[in-house]
Amino acid sequence: MNDGMNQFLQVFFEETEEHLASLELLLLGLDLQQPDPEELNGIFRAAHSIKGSAGMFGFDDLTAVTHELETLLDRIRSGQLALQAEMVDLFLQARDVLMRLLDAHRQQRPDPDVPVSSTVARLRELLDAAPATGEEASFGFFDDAPGTPQAATDDDFGFFDEAPGAPAQAADDGFGFFDDAPGTPAPTVSEAPKAVAPPASPSTSPSTKPSAGEGESSSIRVSVEKIDSLINLVGELVITQAMLGQLGGALDPSLHERIHQALAQLEHNTRDLQESVMSIRMLPISFIFSRFPRLVRDTSARLGKQVELLLQGEHTELDKGVIERLSDPLTHIVRNSIDHGIELPEVRLAAGKPASGTLRLGAFHQGGSIVVQISDDGRGLDRARILAKAREKNLAVHDGMSDAEVWQLIFMPGFSTAEVVTDLSGRGVGMDVVKRNIQAMGGRIEIDSAAGLGTRISIRLPLTLAILDGLIVAVANTHYVIPLTYIVESLQPKAADIRGLGGEEGAVIRVRGEYLPLLSLHDLLGEAAPPLPAEQSIVVILEADGRPFALQVDDLVGQQQVVIKSLEQNFRRIEGIAGATIMGDGSVALILDVDALPGLAQQQGAALHELP
Amino acid sequence: MNSPSVQQGGQPAQEYLTFTLGREEYAIDILRVQEIRGYDQVTAIANSPAFIKGVINLRGAIVPIVDLRIKFNLADVTYDPFTVVIILNIGRRIVGVVVDSVSDVIALSGEEIKPPPEFGASFDTEYLLGLATVAERMLILVDIEKLMTSREMGLVEAAAA
């Protein structure tokens, strides 16, 4: 297949995926007793669009399933057939079949296991319950279409290009069109895709509806690489600007007033540019939230539980990279909540709670980070059982541990308190992976839980993976960056507060009555110069994995936002170093991997003791 | 890869960049060379061998700098305004190497390159492509890609090497 055709195919795959997503969303939001005609229209149009474009590309299996789907939906829409719960289930299954077919086509690897014919047959069964109408005409029409795929797809493009200013208007046109002519959904090639193209935006119910639909018609598709290279270039510009600023700062302001003004202007403009470029990568979190209604529905149905899902703050924007990597951990936590957290209806009723449990998914900004919360009103974590399990696994626990410390135990590898291992959760793999994934993004995860009342898991994430707020510290003339999220405080220690331990000088430091392990960045990084006496240096209190420790550095240089650069791109991973950044003077500073520092210190300690 | 060893036997000449390390002259495939620049301030990397000087900012990319003089145990290692760094493009990585000086670019055809003698352990013949004589100078042809990605250089992750 040539490149041009490939490009259209790519568009087809992306659009079909969006249609399938909106189809699913609409199906889940459907009120069985009184289906909203607009929602039914939306579902119909999604199926219809897929059928149309699949026909153009000759994907007969997709066409076959969507044809039945469309026919059924049209009956329901025109009131000839009453909507039933089993239909929605079947429609959702058909959507999954379509998704699998789409994936198979995309990878050009046909999947013979996809139950196409059985799905078609079951859709037909439902259809046979009602009298037939002259629906075949539209199918026959699309069979003719594959000869002119390019023109038709171009029209699709044209539509999106024209629509940006007035998505609602365009969508209304679509409605009008279909309302007038329910029996003949596709009169001409060029109009059919036009009218059905934006199914998501208008017909969405406010409760579950993200802005994705509205954004769709007023947006263009750009590859992520292009945006990333733009972000890189702007990063370079920021560094160059900082260099100019430093050079300009050395000039006498009274003699070079205009240069100073211009530099100030440059700084302002660069910052604006950086902000707007960064915002391109930002997506609303509804991108992942939108998949949860289905997940909750399926999971709770399989477990015989009743769960109501509430979404909050789905317009909160965060970096695309963060969103992609957040999806798996969130899915895992939500499954866990339904499986372990929310009780069976009869148990809930016995406990005086409503039979249906509530699962809340929320996202909001707090300070410079994003907080994603998953809370349920289930049974809560069982402190005694977690402790018992921990003892069984020979973990160091005691009854005096705070709740927060106990809850952290569930993130230990291989830790599961589930009584029954189900196919959903309880295998004890997962929560540790969840935590690792979150930490890899520079995020943190916290648990609140109360027995009988529920559990709340909060994930705190940086806004973006590309920029980090850091504290610049100096060690023997070298600058290092400590991510601000890890820092509790920094202080100038008194000699009396620094104590030895086990024959090792300066091993611990007393901070407000607590003894913290004291690590020296000099030793950790193998600096040739010996560290300054502790009382002449600065100690930064850091927290990694919920455990605080003190890090001794020579000096604090300042706090600034730094652009994260990969060290591995041209080099390799270095233990204790998370990445690199470029400072205002063009030099490279390394970003510390705070989570790895205690481990590094332990290794070095062990190596020292092994020496004769 | 444009390895010259497979081009022996009358193929058109290939160009090499020659540089000196101590009293020896080396030649590397010019297509691997991205640019030549002066030695700038480097940021040292913790707990790494002495020949890895650190990393520099090469127009936004973080590039490791290796001092081949240290790697080859040359006595006289100084850094001054004349110290030269050859920026290499190896695979999809960028690496800088410090050498004593860069001499010139020469073209060598397949038959001008003699196979290396089977010498001892002082320099692993694995990274040698051969020897050539140009105007009474002996050139040591180095497979720079193999050398830089080798385990002993420790520049790439063991799994990737």
Side-chain angles (χ1 to χ4, degrees):
Chain A
M1 204 167 281
N2 62 30
D3 277 357
M5 195 60 187
N6 243 330
Q7 195 190 329
F8 289 122
L9 260 180
Q10 219 45 54
V11 173
F12 164 73
F13 289 138
E14 283 176 25
E15 284 185 359
T16 305
E17 209 167 288
E18 280 169 21
H19 287 316
L20 286 175
S22 70
L23 185 86
E24 178 175 43
L25 219 62
L26 288 167
L27 280 171
L28 291 170
L30 219 48
D31 181 355
L32 284 177
Q33 268 66 49
Q34 280 187 314
D36 182 346
E38 298 221 331
E39 288 186 2
L40 284 175
N41 268 327
I43 299 171
F44 173 82
R45 275 182 288 118
H48 181 73
S49 311
I50 297 169
K51 183 178 113 176
S53 6
M56 289 171 209
F57 288 101
F59 295 141
D60 294 335
D61 41 6
L62 280 173
T63 323
V65 177
T66 38
H67 173 66
E68 299 301 330
L69 204 58
E70 184 192 16
T71 315
L72 250 177
L73 282 165
D74 191 47
R75 297 278 166 79
I76 298 171
R77 195 174 61 151
S78 56
Q80 297 172 28
L81 213 60
L83 187 67
Q84 290 152 10
E86 57 179 303
M87 289 185 188
V88 176
D89 288 335
L90 187 54
F91 289 163
L92 284 171
Q93 282 164 24
R95 185 218 81 107
D96 294 346
V97 167
L98 290 172
M99 199 67 202
R100 284 174 67 185
L101 287 174
L102 190 69
D103 279 342
H105 283 304
R106 193 197 308 251
Q107 288 159 13
Q108 298 186 354
R109 204 181 302 148
D111 184 352
D113 297 338
V114 182
V116 178
S117 48
S118 66
T119 310
V120 170
R122 287 176 60 195
L123 286 168
R124 273 220 182 105
E125 271 171 37
L126 282 177
L127 193 62
D128 289 343
T133 53
E135 199 56 51
E136 289 303 314
S138 71
F139 190 40
F141 160 72
F142 274 105
D143 279 348
D144 293 337
T148 55
Q150 299 211 347
T153 319
D154 254 342
D155 275 4
D156 243 2
F157 275 135
F159 171 73
F160 282 118
D161 286 346
E162 284 159 24
Q169 176 67 40
D172 266 343
D173 283 356
F175 278 134
F177 167 66
F178 279 110
D179 288 347
D180 291 347
T184 53
T188 68
V189 168
S190 55
E191 268 180 47
K194 265 193 188 184
V196 293
S201 50
S203 46
T204 51
S205 62
S207 61
T208 51
K209 237 36 265 259
S211 63
E214 290 154 41
E216 185 184 58
S217 48
S218 59
S219 63
I220 53 167
R221 268 184 234 284
V222 183
S223 77
V224 178
E225 289 103 78
K226 278 187 185 170
I227 292 174
D228 283 350
S229 98
L230 192 63
I231 288 174
N232 267 336
L233 286 172
V234 172
E236 292 313 298
L237 186 65
V238 171
I239 292 158
T240 318
Q241 174 266 319
M243 286 164 79
L244 279 176
Q246 269 187 2
L247 292 175
L251 298 173
D252 185 345
S254 56
L255 297 174
H256 302 278
E257 195 195 339
R258 289 181 61 192
I259 286 194
H260 276 271
Q261 276 176 2
L263 284 174
Q265 185 72 38
L266 178 68
E267 186 183 343
H268 187 77
N269 291 347
T270 323
R271 192 161 299 152
D272 284 356
L273 181 65
Q274 188 180 21
E275 263 170 34
S276 34
V277 168
M278 291 309 295
S279 74
I280 299 180
R281 267 187 73 104
M282 299 301 224
L283 293 176
I285 200 166
S286 58
F287 247 76
I288 34 176
F289 275 12
S290 62
R291 77 177 57 165
F292 286 110
R294 175 76 189 274
L295 181 89
V296 169
R297 182 194 147 101
D298 287 359
T299 314
S300 53
R302 196 160 0 149
L303 294 167
K305 294 179 180 178
Q306 293 173 19
V307 181
E308 192 187 348
L309 178 69
L310 295 177
L311 300 179
Q312 287 164 335
E314 62 258 58
H315 295 286
T316 312
E317 290 194 328
L318 66 169
D319 189 275
K320 181 174 160 52
V322 180
I323 286 203
E324 278 165 2
R325 291 163 66 179
L326 189 59
S327 141
D328 284 350
L330 265 191
T331 308
H332 198 92
I333 295 173
V334 166
R335 279 202 178 135
N336 260 346
S337 278
I338 300 172
D339 196 9
H340 300 322
I342 290 174
E343 311 92 327
L344 289 165
E346 53 271 24
V347 179
R348 290 184 63 88
L349 287 173
K353 295 198 239 184
S356 167
T358 308
L359 188 68
R360 279 172 211 277
L361 260 178
F364 54 90
H365 285 262
Q366 196 176 70
S369 30
I370 293 271
V371 180
V372 180
Q373 278 183 343
I374 305 99
S375 45
D376 62 60
D377 62 349
R379 61 168 75 95
L381 292 175
D382 188 338
R383 184 187 158 98
R385 213 161 82 215
I386 294 174
L387 280 175
K389 190 85 185 177
R391 287 204 183 90
E392 214 173 280
K393 294 197 167 285
N394 288 324
L395 297 170
V397 292
H398 53 88
D399 287 329
M401 285 167 83
S402 71
D403 278 356
E405 282 176 294
V406 174
W407 305 153
Q408 287 291 324
L409 288 172
I410 67 168
F411 293 120
M412 301 293 285
F415 202 93
S416 172
T417 57
E419 285 146 294
V420 191
V421 172
T422 66
D423 58 340
L424 289 174
S425 48
R427 286 182 205 279
V429 291
M431 282 313 263
D432 60 319
V433 180
V434 166
K435 183 169 185 185
R436 221 178 308 132
N437 287 354
I438 303 280
Q439 279 182 341
M441 290 188 274
R444 310 172 63 166
I445 183 161
E446 283 154 22
I447 303 182
D448 285 322
S449 186
L453 293 175
T455 306
R456 181 174 67 210
I457 297 181
S458 309
I459 301 171
R460 187 176 296 273
L461 290 164
L463 273 179
T464 159
L465 298 179
I467 286 188
L468 163 141
D469 274 309
L471 180 74
I472 320 282
V473 299
V475 172
N477 297 324
T478 315
H479 289 181
Y480 291 94
V481 183
I482 303 179
L484 224 49
T485 47
Y486 289 100
I487 298 179
V488 181
E489 62 178 322
S490 35
L491 50 95
Q492 203 155 16
K494 294 190 198 76
D497 287 335
I498 295 173
R499 305 285 171 84
L501 187 73
E504 193 191 337
E505 290 281 315
V508 293
I509 180 170
R510 196 173 66 170
V511 181
R512 278 189 228 99
E514 283 201 59
Y515 288 97
L516 303 179
L518 177 61
L519 311 179
S520 155
L521 202 51
H522 281 265
D523 298 340
L524 286 178
L525 300 175
E527 287 284 349
L532 294 173
E535 57 272 22
Q536 286 173 37
S537 52
I538 303 279
V539 164
V540 185
I541 312 294
L542 301 170
E543 198 181 289
D545 277 347
R547 275 175 303 185
F549 67 96
L551 187 69
Q552 182 189 336
V553 300
D554 286 353
D555 205 357
L556 299 186
V557 179
Q559 181 188 332
Q560 77 177 71
Q561 282 204 333
V562 298
V563 179
I564 304 172
K565 298 267 179 182
S566 156
L567 204 57
E568 283 147 75
Q569 193 182 351
N570 295 313
F571 196 34
R572 63 186 162 86
R573 221 179 72 79
I574 311 271
E575 216 168 341
I577 304 294
T581 188
I582 295 166
M583 307 301 286
D585 61 358
S587 68
V588 179
L590 300 175
I591 303 169
L592 295 180
D593 181 358
V594 175
D595 282 319
L597 290 181
L600 197 61
Q602 250 165 26
Q603 276 177 26
Q604 287 180 355
L608 273 182
H609 289 297
E610 275 167 22
L611 291 178
Chain B
M1 287 304 130
N2 306 302
S3 166
S5 57
V6 295
Q7 291 199 355
Q8 283 180 3
Q11 258 102 358
Q14 206 178 335
E15 287 193 307
Y16 293 85
L17 177 77
T18 68
F19 58 86
T20 58
L21 279 175
R23 281 160 48 211
E24 290 157 358
E25 200 165 353
Y26 292 83
I28 54 173
D29 182 1
I30 192 111
L31 295 176
R32 294 278 157 266
V33 178
Q34 178 181 319
E35 64 186 277
I36 296 165
R37 62 201 322 265
Y39 185 81
D40 239 344
Q41 187 205 352
V42 296
T43 301
I45 299 272
N47 305 322
S48 50
F51 63 84
I52 296 181
K53 295 306 293 176
V55 288
I56 61 161
N57 160 29
L58 185 74
R59 291 183 295 280
I62 308 290
V63 173
I65 300 292
V66 173
D67 195 331
L68 279 185
R69 303 174 299 178
I70 303 177
K71 179 70 190 159
F72 289 172
N73 296 318
L74 297 182
D76 186 26
V77 176
T78 55
Y79 299 95
D80 57 36
F82 305 105
T83 307
V84 179
V85 178
I86 304 174
I87 305 290
L88 300 166
N89 236 314
I90 285 166
R92 277 158 50 215
R93 290 161 180 271
I94 307 172
V95 180
V97 295
V98 184
V99 297
D100 276 334
S101 69
V102 169
S103 328
D104 50 16
V105 175
I106 53 160
L108 292 174
S109 60
E111 50 275 27
E112 284 174 276
I113 302 169
K114 305 283 176 283
E118 301 280 324
F119 44 128
S122 63
F123 188 87
D124 202 330
T125 48
E126 199 188 327
Y127 310 123
L128 281 193
L129 292 171
L131 301 174
T133 310
V134 174
E136 299 307 301
R137 289 145 57 201
M138 184 188 80
L139 294 180
I140 306 166
L141 269 66
V142 181
D143 186 343
I144 194 72
E145 175 153 1
K146 210 166 180 182
L147 176 64
M148 299 313 284
T149 54
S150 68
R151 185 177 300 247
E152 60 178 298
M153 291 306 272
L155 278 176
V156 290
E157 222 80 51

